[in-house]
Amino acid sequence: MFNSLSDRLTATFKNLRGKGRLTEADIDGTAREIRRALLDADVAVPVVRAFVAQVKERALGLEVSESLNPGQQVVKIVNEELVGILGGETRRLNLAKNPPTVIMLAGLQGAGKTTLAGKLAKHLKAEGHTPLLVACDLQRPNAVKQLQINGERAGVPVYAPHPGVSSEFDTATGDPVSVARDGIAEAKAKLHDIVIVDTAGRLGVDTEMMNQAANIRAAINPDEVLFVIDAMIGQDAVNTALAFQEGVNFTGVVLSKLDGDARGGAALSVASITGKPVMFASTGENLDDFEIFHPDRMASRILDMGDVMTLIEQAEKNWDKGEAERMAKKFADQEDFTLDDFLAQMAQIKKMGSMKKLLGMMPGSQISRQQLEQFDERQIDRVEAIVRSMTQHERVAPKIINGSRRARIAKGSGVAVSEVNQMLERFTEAQKMMKKMAAGGGMPGMPGSGKGAARKAKAKGKGKKPQQKFGNPAKAAQAELEAKNKKASAPAGAAFGQGAQEDFDPSSLNLPAGFEKYLGK
C-alpha cells in the first residue's frame, strides 16, 4: 500500500547523502518533496502541514547542524515524526478485571467488520483466550451466516439467536441491542473471557446507524470500541472517523485492506486527527492475515528500512522447532542436503505466509520492487509439484535424473522439461552452498572466507623459517657471516646417498685429478 510513498521518500533522501553540511535550501527542498509525497498519498492536509512543520523545525535546529551525518539525521527525524502521527507506541487491548472483556466493532458497511471479527477471534484464541462472537448485524443480507462461517474457520463459537435477513428485499427484524445484551449473558454463563460484538454498518454515515451503534454501546458498556476503517478510502477517512468518534466514541482503530494498492493516506491520518491509536491491521483475505499495529515498524516499512522484528516473530510463531533441530544435526554431521530437505524447508517458508510480504519486510526491498511485484506465488507450488513427482531414490540422489527421468517428472508435475532443469540447477547450487556451510567454509564465492582461505594462507607460509633476530648488532652480523660461509661450503645436492648437510672429503671418493672443482671445492 505504501509503495509509492516509500519510493518518493527514499528518492528524496538520496539527495542528502554524502553532504557534510545541509543548507537551509537543502532542508526547504527536502520538506517540499515530503509535503508533495504525503499529499499524493492522500494524507489529510492538516496532518501534512503539522508533520512538515515539525520536521523542518527540527532539521533547522542544532539537532542536525551538529550531527556527523546530517543526511541520516534528517531521515531519523522523519522516522520519529512518522511514528508520532501513527500513534507513537503500540497499544494493546485493555482487558477487564472481571471477565468477560467486551469488544464492540463499528464502521461503515464494506469496511470488513465481519471478516475482522473472525480474525480478531482467532488471534485472541491463539493467545490463550476463549472468545465468543456475537452476531448483531441483522440488516445486511447473510451477515449472520458470514460470521458463523468465520467463527467455524477460526474455531470460535458464535452466538446468533436471530438469522438476520437473507436478501436486500427482506425487512430487517429483531433487536440488535437485545442480541448484544443476551450475548454478554451467554458469555458469562459459558465462561468466555472475551466477547466480540459485530454490529451493522451502512453505505454512508447516517443518524439511524449511529443511534443503533450508540444504543448497543450503552446496553453492553464495552471495554473497547474498535472503529474498523477501510485503509483504501483516502481523504474521506478523516470525516468518517470524526463522525464515528462523535457518535460512538471509539477507543481504537483497526485498519482493514492494508494489502490493497491504494495510497494509504487513511493510515497516516486517522490516529493523528482523532487522537485514538491504530491497534490492529488486516493485511489479506485469510484469517491469519492479521497483525498488531506497531507504529515504529510501520514507519520503518514506509521509509524502506524493513520490518525485521515482524519477520522474526512470524518465523518463531510458524517455524517447526523439531524440523529446525533435525536440519541443525544434519549440518553438524555434514550429511548431504537432499530434495526431501529442500521440500521440508519450502513447507516451513509457506507457513510464514506470502513470499511477497516476507520479502517486502526485508530492508531495501524497494531496490527490487519491480521484480517483487512480478513474483509469482504459484512458482513455489510448481517447484513442490516437481519434487513430489520424483521417486524417493531420485530425491536422495538427484544425479541419476537423466533425460528420460526429467521428461517423466515434467509430465507428472504438469510443467515443461525446462522448468525441471532450472529447478535441479538451483537445487545443485543450494546443495553446494549447504555443503560449504556445513564444512565451516562460509558462503561460496566470498573471498577470504572459510577453511579454504585458511589452508591457502598456511600453505603460502609453509617451509619458511622464521627469521632469527638478535638484540646485539655485532652478533647479528656474525650470524649472517656464518650463514653465508655455510651456504658456500654446502654441496649442491646429496652425493651418493649422503645428506646435503653432512661434511665429506672429496679425496676419499678416489676421483680423477682436478674433478674437485665440480664439487665446489
Side-chain angles (χ1 to χ4, degrees):
M1 171 163 284
F2 297 109
N3 287 354
S4 177
L5 176 61
S6 179
D7 289 342
R8 293 195 59 169
L9 290 178
T10 303
T12 300
F13 296 140
K14 280 183 180 178
N15 300 327
L16 302 178
R17 291 178 183 173
K19 292 191 175 184
R21 181 176 178 274
L22 296 183
T23 65
E24 187 171 349
D26 292 330
I27 294 174
D28 286 340
T30 301
R32 185 166 53 251
E33 290 301 319
I34 292 173
R35 182 186 298 109
R36 289 174 179 172
L38 294 174
L39 290 174
D40 285 346
D42 269 344
V43 180
V45 175
V47 178
V48 175
R49 287 175 179 166
F51 179 84
V52 174
Q54 186 65 19
V55 169
K56 191 173 179 179
E57 180 183 349
R58 292 181 61 184
L60 289 171
L62 294 176
E63 188 175 351
V64 170
S65 61
E66 295 181 354
S67 173
L68 294 176
N69 193 322
Q72 290 184 0
Q73 192 67 20
V74 171
V75 176
K76 178 175 179 289
I77 291 172
V78 173
N79 180 68
E80 291 174 353
E81 293 300 322
L82 271 178
V83 173
I85 68 171
L86 287 171
E89 58 185 20
T90 306
R91 160 84 147 76
R92 304 283 181 170
L93 285 172
N94 290 324
L95 300 179
K97 294 182 180 179
N98 298 317
T101 300
V102 180
I103 302 171
M104 174 182 166
L105 303 182
L108 295 179
Q109 184 174 323
K113 292 189 305 301
T114 303
T115 302
L116 190 125
K119 292 180 178 183
L120 179 59
K122 186 173 183 179
H123 169 76
L124 293 171
K125 182 182 178 182
E127 291 189 341
H129 297 285
T130 55
L132 173 69
L133 290 167
V134 178
C136 293
D137 186 354
L138 308 180
Q139 294 166 332
R140 181 170 63 86
N142 294 316
V144 175
K145 184 66 175 176
Q146 181 187 357
L147 187 66
Q148 289 173 331
I149 293 173
N150 287 336
E152 183 179 352
R153 289 167 58 196
V156 174
V158 178
Y159 179 74
H162 197 284
V165 297
S166 57
S167 73
E168 58 183 346
F169 303 105
D170 294 343
T171 303
T173 58
D175 183 8
V177 177
S178 299
V179 173
R181 191 184 295 111
D182 294 342
I184 306 298
E186 177 77 3
K188 291 180 179 179
K190 296 190 175 178
L191 302 179
H192 292 280
D193 65 341
I194 291 180
V195 180
I196 301 172
V197 180
D198 180 31
T199 64
R202 287 291 187 280
L203 295 176
V205 178
D206 57 45
T207 306
E208 181 185 354
M209 184 268 293
M210 283 298 177
N211 288 338
Q212 184 184 104
N215 291 336
I216 293 175
R217 176 178 178 127
I220 62 177
N221 191 24
D223 300 282
E224 295 278 11
V225 179
L226 302 183
F227 171 51
V228 182
I229 186 168
D230 186 342
M232 300 174 67
I233 65 175
Q235 291 279 353
D236 194 49
V238 174
N239 297 329
T240 305
L242 290 174
F244 272 89
Q245 184 180 27
E246 183 181 351
V248 296
N249 190 24
F250 56 83
T251 59
V253 179
V254 180
L255 294 174
S256 64
K257 306 178 187 178
L258 204 60
D259 57 323
D261 56 0
R263 289 171 287 186
L268 299 176
S269 304
V270 173
S272 181
I273 290 291
T274 64
K276 301 299 172 64
V278 180
M279 297 175 61
F280 300 102
S282 175
T283 58
E285 297 180 358
N286 297 323
L287 290 184
D288 292 323
D289 296 330
F290 178 83
E291 59 186 44
I292 298 172
F293 189 87
H294 300 278
D296 53 341
R297 301 183 191 180
M298 184 57 67
S300 294
R301 291 190 202 180
I302 293 172
L303 296 179
D304 196 44
M305 298 177 184
D307 188 359
V308 179
M309 285 304 299
T310 300
L311 198 60
I312 292 172
E313 287 177 0
Q314 288 192 11
E316 289 179 343
K317 182 169 65 176
N318 296 291
W319 204 262
D320 187 346
K321 293 183 180 178
E323 178 63 24
E325 291 174 359
R326 186 185 72 82
M327 285 303 301
K329 185 177 185 302
K330 198 159 193 175
F331 277 133
D333 297 339
Q334 296 191 20
E335 298 180 15
D336 282 342
F337 182 72
T338 67
L339 281 163
D340 279 328
D341 299 325
F342 185 59
L343 200 63
Q345 295 304 303
M346 285 182 58
Q348 295 290 341
I349 293 173
K350 285 178 68 176
K351 285 182 182 178
M352 293 175 63
S354 167
M355 281 297 296
K356 283 186 180 181
K357 291 180 182 177
L358 296 178
L359 293 172
M361 293 179 191
M362 300 297 292
S365 62
Q366 59 90 21
I367 298 173
S368 57
R369 181 156 292 148
Q370 185 177 0
Q371 295 91 326
L372 187 62
E373 291 299 325
Q374 294 174 352
F375 178 78
D376 186 2
E377 297 276 0
R378 295 173 297 177
Q379 182 63 27
I380 298 177
D381 296 329
R382 284 195 287 270
V383 172
E384 185 177 352
I386 291 171
V387 178
R388 294 193 182 280
S389 297
M390 299 177 184
T391 64
Q392 190 61 41
H393 186 40
E394 288 170 343
R395 297 184 196 181
V396 177
K399 291 183 179 180
I400 69 170
I401 304 178
N402 54 21
S404 61
R405 288 176 183 265
R406 293 179 188 224
R408 190 205 78 237
I409 293 168
K411 187 176 181 180
S413 56
V415 300
V417 177
S418 60
E419 291 190 56
V420 178
N421 295 338
Q422 291 172 6
M423 193 281 293
L424 289 173
E425 287 175 6
R426 289 197 296 266
F427 171 74
T428 302
E429 293 300 319
Q431 194 177 43
K432 289 179 182 178
M433 183 185 70
M434 293 298 183
K435 284 182 179 180
K436 189 80 172 175
M437 293 174 66
M443 293 291 288
M446 294 295 289
S449 66
K451 291 183 178 178
R455 283 196 296 269
K456 288 180 181 178
K458 187 176 180 181
K460 188 175 180 181
K462 191 175 182 180
K464 291 185 178 180
K465 294 183 178 180
Q467 186 176 359
Q468 191 173 6
K469 297 182 179 179
F470 298 88
N472 192 330
K475 287 185 178 180
Q478 184 180 356
E480 185 177 357
L481 181 62
E482 290 178 358
K484 287 182 178 179
N485 293 337
K486 188 174 183 181
K487 183 177 181 181
S489 62
F496 301 99
Q498 292 188 350
Q501 302 298 327
E502 297 179 13
D503 294 330
F504 68 97
D505 185 5
S507 60
S508 65
L509 300 177
N510 194 23
L511 297 174
F515 198 79
E516 291 86 357
K517 64 181 179 181
Y518 296 104
L519 300 176
K521 293 291 182 180

